[in-house]
Amino acid sequence: MMKEKLILTDCDGVLVDWMYSFDMWMRKHGYKIQNNASHMYSIKERYDIGMADKSRLTRMFNESAWIRKIPPHLDAIKYVRKLHEEHGYVFHVITSQTDVEYAQHLRVKNLCELFGPTAFEKFIILDCGADKDEALEPYRDSGCYWLEDKMSNCDLGVEMGLDGILMAQDYNYNYEGPGLRLNNWREIYNLITGL
């Protein structure tokens, strides 16, 4: 595997704006973000719900038809396509969504519709909330770029010998880990291409 042409990426909060769609879905189900909680990563804290409800609602959303139409994250389309079409990079998506095959299919359809049919060489779709240790293991010490929005997952990649990049979000503003926190795909593109 050649580091220069392979980028490992999370999906939600990096490629697509999962939180925006989830917030819309939650509103339709009678929930709203608590005051001063929009910067929280924890669904439990954002909506002031119990752990059982957090797990149940997240899974329901991840297995719903909404997963098919999640919008892109900021400038992701432009720069993912540029990296792929102009520089020959391919992407392996490693995401924790669901183990339901039909919902996984909707996720893949959404990504291919947004970014084109050839940018993604591989999809590793784990169950809702699953750890990414085993999924990242085949890439250990490869030096591949690893793009994440969750601080602990970014750090995990760095510990495994990957070049961790944390996509800036309100909920990871205080990151002080070993990865590099970047604001958008333009910054990621410039770093990877040396521009």
Side-chain angles (χ1 to χ4, degrees):
M1 145 181 20
M2 291 180 53
K3 169 193 169 187
E4 297 83 29
K5 297 299 175 187
L6 176 60
I7 298 171
L8 310 175
T9 184
D10 178 32
C11 183
D12 301 312
V14 179
L15 293 170
V16 296
D17 194 347
W18 184 91
M19 198 65 82
Y20 168 80
S21 293
F22 184 72
D23 287 339
M24 299 288 288
W25 184 85
M26 286 290 278
R27 271 189 243 145
K28 287 186 78 68
H29 288 83
Y31 296 90
K32 65 178 185 174
I33 298 173
Q34 298 301 298
N35 290 338
N36 302 316
S38 61
H39 67 284
M40 305 297 276
Y41 181 80
S42 167
I43 299 304
K44 185 176 167 292
E45 294 173 14
R46 280 175 76 90
Y47 299 97
D48 191 27
I49 57 178
M51 196 62 173
D53 283 338
K54 174 245 176 211
S55 298
R56 179 181 59 82
L57 292 166
T58 303
R59 182 173 292 281
M60 280 176 61
F61 174 78
N62 282 348
E63 294 176 357
S64 76
W66 282 64
I67 220 74
R68 173 67 174 87
K69 289 294 182 180
I70 298 180
H73 179 67
L74 300 175
D75 56 352
I77 289 178
K78 176 179 180 178
Y79 290 103
V80 166
R81 286 188 173 185
K82 281 175 72 72
L83 284 165
H84 176 61
E85 294 166 7
E86 297 175 18
H87 299 277
Y89 285 90
V90 293
F91 294 80
H92 289 188
V93 175
I94 302 172
T95 182
S96 299
Q97 177 204 351
T98 180
D99 59 357
V100 174
E101 183 180 343
Y102 296 112
Q104 292 176 351
H105 177 73
L106 294 178
R107 160 137 291 174
V108 171
K109 294 283 280 184
N110 185 51
L111 291 174
C112 290
E113 182 177 281
L114 292 173
F115 299 97
T118 60
F120 302 109
E121 187 178 79
K122 188 175 197 179
F123 296 92
I124 301 168
I125 303 177
L126 309 169
D127 197 11
C128 186
D131 293 331
K132 297 184 177 177
D133 308 59
E134 288 182 26
L136 289 174
E137 187 60 40
Y139 306 99
R140 180 182 287 277
D141 296 324
S142 65
C144 288
Y145 289 105
W146 166 231
L147 313 179
E148 253 290 352
D149 67 312
K150 186 176 178 182
M151 295 183 281
S152 59
N153 283 341
C154 181
D155 293 351
L156 171 66
V158 173
E159 290 167 17
M160 296 179 80
L162 304 175
D163 197 349
I165 298 173
L166 187 73
M167 177 64 78
Q169 299 286 357
D170 289 345
Y171 48 78
N172 64 28
Y173 73 94
N174 60 345
Y175 180 68
E176 296 180 358
L180 179 62
R181 185 175 184 267
L182 296 177
N183 291 309
N184 51 47
W185 272 94
R186 180 181 54 79
E187 290 184 4
I188 293 169
Y189 174 85
N190 289 344
L191 174 74
I192 291 173
T193 60
L195 297 176

